[in-house]
Every structure is written in C-alpha cells, then in structure tokens.
Amino acid sequence: MAISAKRNGTKVITGEVRASYANVWEPQSINGSDEKYSVSLIISKEDTETIKAIEQAIEEAKEDGKAKFGGKIPNSLKTPLRDGDEEREDDEAYKNSYFINANRNASQGQPQIVDAYKNKITDTTAVYSGCFIRASVNFFAFNTNGNKGIAAGLGNIQKIRDGEMLSGGSTADEDFDELDTDDDDLI
C-alpha cells in the first residue's frame, strides 16, 4: 500500500521518504550557527504525489512571501527541492530522487518522533540515516542578508520502516552474524 502525501497550504505531510543526515535526536550547530534539528528527505522521482504537493506548497510560500521580497517574487529565488541526480551524482542513495533539507531551531524543541502506529519513539537508534519515514514540512519565505528563498521547516517524523544504513558502515548484526552462540567457550 502506497502512503499518500497530503498538503494544507504551505504544509506537506510527505509520502514515504528516506532519511539521510538524520540529526533528529540532538540539535547541532554548524559553523557556529544556532543549534538545529535537521534531516535530508530523499524523495523518489516516482513519488509524483509527494513531489507535486511540495512544488505546490513552495509556490504558495512564494506568494505568501512577496512582502519579504519587496512586493514581487525574484527570478533567482532559492528553493529547497533539489535534484539528487544533479547535486549528489556520486551518492547512490540520491539516484533517481529529489531531496529537501529540512530543519528546526532547537528553541522550537525536538520534533515529535512516532512509529507507524503513532506511538512515541524514545530509542535514539530507531530513526537513522537510511530508514524510511514520513515527515511534516512547512515551507516559508526568507530574506536574510540579501539571500532570498523558500526554506523547509521540519515538523514531526513518523518512522515507517527500517532501511539500509547510509553511514557507509555496517551494523553489529551484519559484522557478527556467523558466531555460534551455543559455543561453550564463550564468556
């Protein structure tokens, strides 16, 4: 069963996407910036429903943000929906996908993280780079120090299922799968 995307104005609840650079448990500061929770949402190009909802939300955010842009939408506006085949061509995880980097200021608190049944997840190893999630994302205009664009604000996260870790490493289960635990020589 496919999971449908939903849109209400500038807010989108994605269909199933893959989490990458998942920094959702502890806020991080990058180059001295404010601490933020963040995640890169990898969206298959086949998920046309989620992509369309995001594109429509971005267009609405542009209209809503005209006042921040001096009354008109600039031609060279930065938008958050990016093509993984062009911008991350050396990363297999982004192949045939779009992606959005969504973040949330630490002052807003941690995103709520739930499982497929909406039960709160507290295990910090449960949501990681590579698992499949849904996310609520709000798109909004910004005009800061001459940079104008549309940003993606991270709302909440729903884990749908596990996936292969994207860290390039392996799990302990993968590394140690051949050990016979019935061996009497074990400590």
Side-chain angles (χ1 to χ4, degrees):
M1 176 181 97
I3 298 172
S4 298
K6 295 187 263 184
R7 181 177 79 86
N8 184 0
T10 59
K11 181 177 181 177
V12 172
I13 309 298
T14 68
E16 184 179 273
V17 299
R18 195 161 190 202
S20 181
Y21 300 99
N23 183 38
V24 298
W25 298 105
E26 292 290 330
Q28 298 282 327
S29 172
I30 305 212
N31 299 326
S33 67
D34 291 342
E35 289 189 338
K36 295 181 181 186
Y37 296 94
S38 60
V39 63
S40 181
L41 305 174
I42 302 173
I43 308 152
S44 169
K45 288 184 177 178
E46 294 176 11
D47 185 355
T48 55
E49 188 177 275
T50 295
I51 294 163
K52 182 179 177 183
I54 290 169
E55 289 172 339
Q56 290 172 339
I58 289 170
E59 288 305 311
E60 192 160 329
K62 286 178 184 179
E63 288 296 323
D64 291 351
K66 276 185 182 177
K68 287 186 178 184
F69 306 139
K72 64 178 188 165
I73 300 170
N75 292 333
S76 60
L77 199 64
K78 294 178 185 177
T79 60
L81 185 62
R82 296 159 52 193
D83 191 325
D85 291 322
E86 294 175 12
E87 294 193 40
R88 300 271 172 92
E89 59 194 37
D90 294 336
D91 191 334
E92 278 296 311
Y94 288 79
K95 189 174 184 170
N96 195 32
S97 298
Y98 288 104
F99 68 98
I100 290 173
N101 295 324
N103 60 64
R104 173 186 186 113
N105 287 328
S107 62
Q108 295 174 287
Q110 180 185 14
Q112 292 180 34
I113 302 172
V114 298
D115 65 17
Y117 303 99
K118 299 186 228 170
N119 298 308
K120 184 177 181 178
I121 296 175
T122 57
D123 176 359
T124 60
T125 64
V127 175
Y128 54 89
S129 296
C131 73
F132 291 86
I133 65 172
R134 295 175 74 202
S136 60
V137 182
N138 187 49
F139 297 91
F140 59 93
F142 67 88
N143 183 354
T144 310
N145 301 326
N147 291 319
K148 298 176 183 176
I150 304 300
L154 177 61
N156 298 302
I157 294 169
Q158 181 180 39
K159 181 179 178 180
I160 303 301
R161 62 187 173 95
D162 286 314
E164 182 180 334
M165 292 181 87
L166 296 179
S167 64
S170 56
T171 66
D173 281 346
E174 293 166 340
D175 286 346
F176 307 120
D177 66 345
E178 73 284 343
L179 185 63
D180 179 3
T181 56
D182 292 333
D183 192 337
D184 291 336
D185 294 334
L186 294 176
I187 299 174

